[in-house]
Amino acid sequence: TAAICVRDYIGDHIKWTHYTNTWRYLEVPVRTAKYTYIGDVDIFFTESVLDPMQFKQMEFFCLPYSNIVRDYDVEPEKRRLTGVMLVETERFYTPALIKSQATVNAIGNDEMFLYKIVVEAGIGIPDPNTTDDLIRYRPLHGTHLSLSRGPPKKMCQTDNAGPKQIELMQHVDQVESYLRYDHFGTRFLSRVAADVEEEVRANMKVIDGT
């Protein structure tokens, strides 16, 4: 079994922003690998993040990362790169990117900040004029167990954690033995499953969610 290193943030990011979602974009990997994955803490992975389609996306757009822009149709200062991305570590964390982390205003939306530092560093963004489906390719590689989803929350669970996803989670390697020790995780996943069952019975749908 591969080791997992769990640590605190390296820098004192609160001096840049109190919005903790942004702190992950102020970090630079200490244990370098060829690829680095940046994601949400509330995604339960059910598959590898080293996805051939993401490598294809990186090659297609000639970029050192796999991600999409949420909204090309707004002014540049309001555009957002989504919060989950696979990057080629050395090509992404350049001196220019590290400089932009320290100089771009981090106050405000985390995804806007990510877009701004990537542009400021000259890394580039996916070409908005392409008609290829890769312009919208953004896999989560798992189930999004957001606290903002579920009755009577802002968004439904069914699009992100439907019955099939719940089953996938239950069969992830060693998850059963892990949950024997994580009682909070067991209760939380049970609550998600209950939310999904309720939403399926009521045929609930996400109307306007992100």
Side-chain angles (χ1 to χ4, degrees):
T1 302
I4 297 176
C5 177
V6 179
R7 60 168 176 76
D8 203 348
Y9 291 99
I10 295 172
D12 183 18
H13 302 320
I14 197 168
K15 66 182 180 182
W16 302 108
T17 177
H18 285 77
Y19 194 38
T20 55
N21 285 15
T22 303
W23 292 1
R24 53 187 157 165
Y25 307 130
L26 291 166
E27 292 280 293
V28 178
V30 173
R31 297 194 176 189
T32 56
K34 183 171 178 59
Y35 297 102
T36 298
Y37 188 79
I38 308 167
D40 293 354
V41 70
D42 56 359
I43 293 177
F44 189 110
F45 292 109
T46 56
E47 63 185 27
S48 172
V49 300
L50 299 177
D51 172 17
M53 285 293 290
Q54 290 194 274
F55 295 136
K56 182 179 179 181
Q57 186 184 47
M58 294 162 74
E59 181 180 7
F60 182 84
F61 290 112
C62 300
L63 294 172
Y65 67 87
S66 170
N67 200 349
I68 65 172
V69 175
R70 285 195 189 274
D71 35 21
Y72 285 108
D73 57 344
V74 299
E75 50 267 38
E77 62 269 19
K78 293 184 178 180
R79 290 179 186 167
R80 298 175 293 163
L81 275 168
T82 78
V84 294
M85 64 190 299
L86 177 69
V87 309
E88 190 174 333
T89 309
E90 288 189 4
R91 291 179 59 215
F92 183 80
Y93 288 99
T94 61
L97 188 281
I98 294 170
K99 180 181 178 181
S100 70
Q101 288 176 315
T103 56
V104 172
N105 189 338
I107 296 175
N109 181 273
D110 57 326
E111 294 184 348
M112 288 183 188
F113 175 71
L114 176 60
Y115 179 92
K116 289 174 183 176
I117 64 173
V118 167
V119 170
E120 179 70 19
I123 293 174
I125 60 170
D127 181 2
N129 297 314
T130 185
T131 57
D132 195 282
D133 288 343
L134 288 170
I135 194 70
R136 296 181 296 275
Y137 187 68
R138 178 186 174 262
L140 290 181
H141 302 297
T143 302
H144 201 171
L145 305 174
S146 173
L147 293 174
S148 66
R149 291 177 167 85
K153 306 293 181 60
K154 175 184 175 183
M155 291 181 280
C156 295
Q157 283 281 12
T158 47
D159 282 7
N160 301 280
K164 290 184 179 179
Q165 285 82 4
I166 296 293
E167 185 177 356
L168 276 174
M169 289 164 52
Q170 293 171 339
H171 290 87
V172 169
D173 186 37
Q174 299 189 36
V175 71
E176 184 178 345
S177 57
Y178 168 76
L179 290 175
R180 292 196 194 108
Y181 299 95
D182 186 350
H183 301 298
F184 175 83
T186 301
R187 292 194 301 272
F188 183 75
L189 292 179
S190 296
R191 177 59 188 168
V192 170
D195 285 348
V196 169
E197 289 180 10
E198 181 179 344
E199 291 168 14
V200 169
R201 285 196 302 269
N203 196 29
M204 295 170 65
K205 302 291 184 184
V206 175
I207 295 176
D208 183 21
T210 56

